[in-house]
Amino acid sequence: MPEIHVDSPIAVPEIYWQVALPGPLRQLFTYRMPADKAVCAGMRVRVPLGRGFRVGVLWAPAQASADWVIKPIESLLDEAPLLDEALLACLAWAADYYHYPLGDTLLAAFAPSLRQGAPLRRLALRLSAAGSAAGGLESIRGHRQKNLMQRLAAEPEGVLVQQLGDVPANVRRRLLALGLIEAFSLVPPPSWPDAKGVLCAAPQLNAAQAAAVRAIAATYAEFAVWLLEGVTGSGKTEVYLHLMADVLAAGRQVLVLVPEIALTPQWVTRFSGRLGLRPAVLHSGLPDADRLQAWLAVRSGLAQVVIGTRSAVFQPFADLGLIVVDEEHDASLKQNEGFGYHARDVAIWRARRLAIPIVLGSATPSLESIRNLELGRYRGLSLPERAGGAAMPKIYPLDVRNQRMQGGLSDALLAAIEQHLLVGGQVMLYLNRRGYAPNLLCHACGWVAECPHCDSFVTWHRHAQRLRCHHCGYEQAVPVHCPSCSAALTPRGLGTEQLEDVLTALFPGFGIERLDRDALSRVGELDRRLARIHSGAARLIVGTQILVKGHDFPNVSLVGIVDADQALFANDFRGAERFAQQLIQVAGRAGRADRAGVVLVQTHHPAHAGLTQLIRHGYGHFARGLLRERTDIGLPPVRMAALIRADGPAADAPNQLLVAMADWLGQTADERLVIWGPVPAPMARRAGRYRYQLLLLACDRRVLHEALNALEAWQGSRRPAGIRWSIDVDPLDMA
Ligand code: ADP
Ligand code: ZN
Ligand code: ZN
């Protein structure tokens, strides 16, 4: 609705800018401001929107349009753009590629307080002319006031008020009132602490490592994607460290992306010990002030190395010279909700734009990366053997059919555990299910404790005495009797808590540590537990996939995979790939030093073709076989996919929305677009919402993106009430 223009005619010449604002709307908004303001893209502004104000980012100059009533910006928040052109271009690409609103995408690159509009300027104090004049100091008596005057006299640039924590406010106020000091605002200079501790020597690289370093080093000045396929313990990290030392010596920065927060402390110790600097560690659990400090230090170039989980890919580097993505196959590099970016793929985009090399490292590369290698888009390097002479572990399937089981463990596995413990080894048991038991069941009437909001059972957490849903966070007290027939309830199935109890009873005195998300919810807990494992105080280790990611436990000689069957028969088309990656990664924890490693895989399907092949021929061969299967069926990575998800409080509406979309696409889209569905999501109801999905596939990226753009435009005009829908490009999580 056009409003009536009541403003007086514009006196000062004005300019118009498009502003990207947070929120679901995809469009940019135009605002005006006086032409004498020096502005450019990437600066933050506060603008009126509706009845309130929003913080947005200046995007591009706009033409004024006579049809619109264009409002003035309320204020300009920055004096210079906070994001440079290359990063803005990357964010624009990501917004486009992942079909996510530009405003929200841009703001994802800011430290959180800056997102809210916090100014970079801070209040500071300095001596006034009267205060610095001769005799100023003599005129005051209080010693605290004198101290402050002396401190400010020593720092003519001024001191931030936040750095005067020990000076009471009334001391400052008194001196301000006397006119001896003055307040002003200052952009604090970025700061970054030095490394603590001593430097450690680097081992002599073996031939394969040295060859990898040489090859990558030849591409420091160009864009190149290197896939470093190195078996677990082959010394990939040593390769990274050598490259990093080179790049740092040239004065440039390095970004290292890792899949898991839990791993960052180990990386920090290893990196600072070798490179003699303090890396900036970035992950979502970091306090806001630390994040801002790191962000500013990275932007200024003071922080030379960034180690972080996926969002670190959006850090504003001053001069990035190398990117490393460790465990590039790991699904946590992709965000599943909201802004569904894959940090590896964004990192590759940044590397291309900056003309620098990027190294993707893994013992179990994703099929996507293997395919890109086969197509010649990536260059391959391999480290086929373990560094330092350790042998690869031997993997054996353990047939548990008809076997007596105690707490999920067969006699054969128990015997092996005992044997390894008795000769001084450590034993690790992998079970990817936390809690005590996945079900609580009534044996009399068949009642099972379910989540009221999801199509899912609730897990019994015995230590916490709660039933918890692992999908929506619902929890409740544990019922004493069956709510339907009053009989006693029995646990069914095995979780890590129970496994811990079973092992404690069977192997008393050996010490046991459990590593899963429940055990690590307190800060510092992981470090404590890891310390007990490394010191040998704990000889048995039980854990979920947290165990898998990159930990180095030199004394582990036996790894037991408690239940392989669950993963063998996953219903996701990526099930086999995931299973193989997990098995090889868990197996890789065994025998990393001088003890030979053994891996026992409990299964009811010891002759399963995939399992047999994987064990006999190794991951590389197995994965290439899977890739041929995907090629035959036409699934990613051979075709590109996008998943459209819809959910709502009742079952019909989200399904109907997707049916309408599928029909519309069927009529209008390029005929090369393949449309599958809609179908109910594998978990058809979660957190009280009914979920459906529609899978789109195309060999050509453009076909897919054109269809998605058209769909968004078509759907934009008809927003069904109560229904959410979203686009996930290159989806990894199909649940
Ligand atoms: P990855 O990252 O491939 O799992 P790491 O770089 O962590 O492997 O190396 C595994 C172990 O081997 C580490 O303890 C590391 O110190 C050691 N190592 C790596 N390279 C060498 C080498 N060239 N000589 C001796 N030991 C090495
Ligand atoms: Zn009952
Ligand atoms: Zn639930």
Side-chain angles (χ1 to χ4, degrees):
M1 270 276 113
E3 294 166 27
I4 296 166
H5 210 340
V6 290
D7 281 7
S8 58
I10 298 161
V12 192
E14 293 204 303
I15 47 173
Y16 299 85
W17 270 78
Q18 291 185 310
V19 176
L21 292 176
L25 294 177
R26 303 275 156 118
Q27 92 245 34
L28 293 158
F29 295 79
T30 302
Y31 289 88
R32 61 188 162 92
M33 68 188 104
D36 58 357
K37 288 218 192 282
V39 294
C40 58
M43 290 164 107
R44 294 171 306 151
V45 288
R46 221 170 101 88
V47 296
L49 184 76
R51 292 203 191 135
F53 290 91
R54 292 285 173 83
V55 174
V57 180
L58 289 183
W59 184 246
Q63 296 293 321
S65 153
D67 305 345
W68 293 359
V69 178
I70 295 175
K71 292 185 178 161
I73 64 163
E74 197 236 6
S75 59
L76 195 58
L77 297 173
D78 301 313
E79 288 140 52
L82 293 189
L83 305 181
D84 67 17
E85 215 178 303
L87 183 49
L88 287 173
C90 172
L91 292 160
W93 167 79
D96 215 42
Y97 183 86
Y98 293 107
H99 293 265
Y100 197 65
L102 181 64
D104 283 333
T105 308
L106 292 182
L107 287 166
F110 286 96
S113 56
L114 298 177
R115 241 174 262 170
Q116 323 279 307
L120 277 188
R121 289 189 162 279
R122 293 287 140 87
L123 193 63
L125 298 174
R126 66 184 165 211
L127 292 187
S128 65
S132 31
L137 199 54
E138 278 77 69
S139 67
I140 47 173
R141 252 170 278 134
H143 78 277
R144 290 216 256 208
Q145 294 173 19
K146 257 200 178 96
N147 282 350
L148 179 56
M149 291 285 289
Q150 274 161 350
R151 184 157 167 198
L152 294 181
E155 294 191 61
E157 306 290 311
V159 177
L160 291 172
V161 169
Q162 72 197 44
Q163 289 169 343
L164 294 173
D166 49 339
V167 179
N170 61 352
V171 174
R172 301 198 308 255
R173 275 200 295 269
R174 178 103 189 96
L175 291 174
L176 280 167
L178 290 170
L180 294 172
I181 66 173
E182 61 191 17
F184 68 109
S185 72
L186 170 79
V187 176
S191 64
W192 195 247
D194 289 332
K196 294 183 292 199
V198 283
L199 281 179
C200 353
Q204 183 82 33
L205 295 185
N206 63 33
Q209 288 171 315
V213 169
R214 258 197 319 275
I216 299 167
T219 61
Y220 283 148
E222 63 187 88
F223 168 61
V225 187
W226 291 98
L227 183 64
L228 180 62
E229 207 170 342
V231 299
T232 49
S234 58
K236 294 184 288 297
T237 312
E238 280 307 321
V239 171
Y240 308 155
L241 282 164
H242 272 76
L243 298 168
M244 291 168 75
D246 278 357
V247 172
L248 295 170
R252 308 189 76 183
Q253 293 167 296
V254 181
L255 166 64
V256 182
L257 292 171
V258 297
E260 184 67 51
I261 298 177
L263 288 182
T264 49
Q266 301 178 64
W267 283 91
V268 174
T269 321
R270 194 159 168 194
F271 279 24
S272 57
R274 285 289 296 285
L275 302 169
L277 51 77
R278 183 185 296 238
V281 181
L282 287 155
H283 54 74
S284 53
L286 211 62
D288 219 58
D290 295 358
R291 248 204 281 190
L292 180 61
Q293 190 205 7
W295 194 89
L296 292 168
V298 171
R299 190 166 163 273
S300 70
L302 273 183
Q304 294 164 281
V305 172
V306 169
I307 304 174
T309 49
R310 60 178 177 243
S311 63
V313 77
F314 295 116
Q315 284 290 304
F317 292 92
D319 184 13
L320 187 59
L322 172 71
I323 304 177
V324 173
V325 183
D326 193 42
E327 312 291 0
E328 68 84 28
H329 65 279
D330 199 286
S332 70
L333 288 165
K334 163 105 166 118
Q335 183 151 294
N336 289 320
E337 313 241 300
F339 180 19
Y341 66 96
H342 197 304
R344 175 196 61 213
D345 298 339
V346 175
I348 290 171
W349 199 95
R350 285 194 85 173
R352 175 182 291 124
R353 167 89 188 201
L354 296 170
I356 58 170
I358 172 168
V359 182
L360 313 179
S362 178
T364 54
S366 62
L367 297 196
E368 279 73 10
S369 293
I370 293 176
R371 177 154 195 270
N372 281 323
L373 186 64
E374 289 184 349
L375 293 176
R377 293 179 189 147
Y378 296 177
R379 305 184 213 186
L381 288 167
S382 74
L383 304 179
E385 272 156 30
R386 284 191 156 176
M392 287 304 286
K394 292 251 182 311
I395 305 176
Y396 304 96
L398 201 58
D399 186 357
V400 295
R401 284 173 300 180
N402 280 317
Q403 298 300 304
R404 189 168 74 114
M405 306 289 274
Q406 293 179 64
L409 304 172
S410 63
D411 286 350
L413 181 54
L414 288 171
I417 295 173
E418 180 165 26
Q419 192 196 340
H420 280 258
L421 289 176
L422 289 178
V423 298
Q426 276 176 320
V427 174
M428 181 182 270
L429 291 166
Y430 174 74
L431 177 65
N432 209 11
R433 232 186 272 121
R434 62 200 168 87
Y436 190 85
N439 298 162
L440 196 57
L441 167 86
C442 174
H443 193 51
C445 78
W447 178 90
V448 189
E450 291 174 332
C451 174
H453 310 295
C454 302
D455 283 345
S456 160
F457 301 114
V458 284
T459 300
W460 181 28
H461 287 255
R462 187 173 168 182
H463 299 179
Q465 298 186 309
R466 305 290 284 174
L467 294 178
R468 286 186 186 140
C469 173
H470 290 178
H471 304 284
C472 72
Y474 166 83
E475 52 175 272
Q476 66 170 79
V478 184
V480 185
H481 301 292
C482 171
S484 121
C485 78
S486 302
L489 293 170
T490 40
R492 186 175 59 177
L494 182 69
T496 47
E497 261 184 30
Q498 191 178 153
L499 192 55
E500 182 184 15
D501 287 0
V502 169
L503 289 166
T504 309
L506 290 173
F507 301 100
F510 283 101
I512 173 160
E513 282 302 341
R514 174 163 58 88
L515 299 179
D516 60 23
R517 202 131 50 85
D518 297 320
L520 307 182
S521 44
R522 265 176 300 138
V523 197
E525 189 62 28
L526 177 67
D527 290 348
R528 273 191 289 283
R529 291 183 187 228
L530 289 175
R532 274 176 46 78
I533 294 169
H534 285 294
S535 73
R539 304 271 302 284
L540 280 153
I541 309 156
V542 169
T544 57
Q545 54 185 343
I546 286 183
L547 276 182
V548 178
K549 301 190 177 174
H551 293 290
D552 197 356
F553 303 122
N555 265 324
V556 169
S557 55
L558 172 67
V559 168
I561 295 179
V562 176
D563 179 9
D565 295 349
Q566 196 196 6
L568 276 180
F569 298 99
N571 54 9
D572 189 321
F573 74 84
R574 284 197 177 80
E577 179 187 356
R578 294 249 170 82
F579 167 72
Q581 289 165 346
Q582 280 193 8
L583 178 72
I584 297 298
Q585 295 284 349
V586 185
R589 303 308 116 204
R592 283 173 74 92
D594 38 337
R595 285 169 197 279
V598 174
V599 182
L600 298 177
V601 184
Q602 292 200 132
T603 174
H604 289 90
H605 306 272
H608 187 277
L611 183 62
T612 319
Q613 261 195 36
L614 179 61
I615 292 175
R616 195 168 298 155
H617 303 295
Y619 179 84
H621 181 93
F622 177 76
R624 283 159 178 87
L626 285 183
L627 185 55
R628 279 189 295 280
E629 276 173 31
R630 299 253 192 105
T631 310
D632 295 343
I633 325 171
L635 280 169
V638 176
R639 278 196 184 126
M640 188 196 165
L643 192 67
I644 302 181
R645 299 192 175 90
D647 64 48
D652 284 352
N655 185 34
Q656 278 159 11
L657 173 67
L658 292 185
V659 167
M661 286 182 174
D663 287 348
W664 187 81
L665 284 170
Q667 286 158 23
T668 59
D670 189 307
E671 61 195 8
R672 287 170 294 170
L673 183 76
V674 179
I675 305 167
W676 284 0
V679 293
M683 179 171 287
R685 191 174 58 113
R686 187 161 80 190
R689 297 180 71 89
Y690 292 82
R691 314 162 71 229
Y692 287 81
Q693 55 195 33
L694 181 67
L695 185 65
L696 306 181
L697 294 161
C699 286
D700 187 335
R701 278 182 191 283
R702 268 165 314 175
V703 169
L704 192 71
H705 282 288
E706 272 163 25
L708 292 171
N709 285 333
L711 186 70
E712 281 177 306
W714 176 70
Q715 187 53 37
S717 53
R718 36 161 86 202
R719 263 170 201 285
I723 301 196
R724 291 188 305 216
W725 73 279
S726 60
I727 295 172
D728 187 356
V729 176
D730 303 332
L732 283 186
D733 178 11
M734 313 289 265

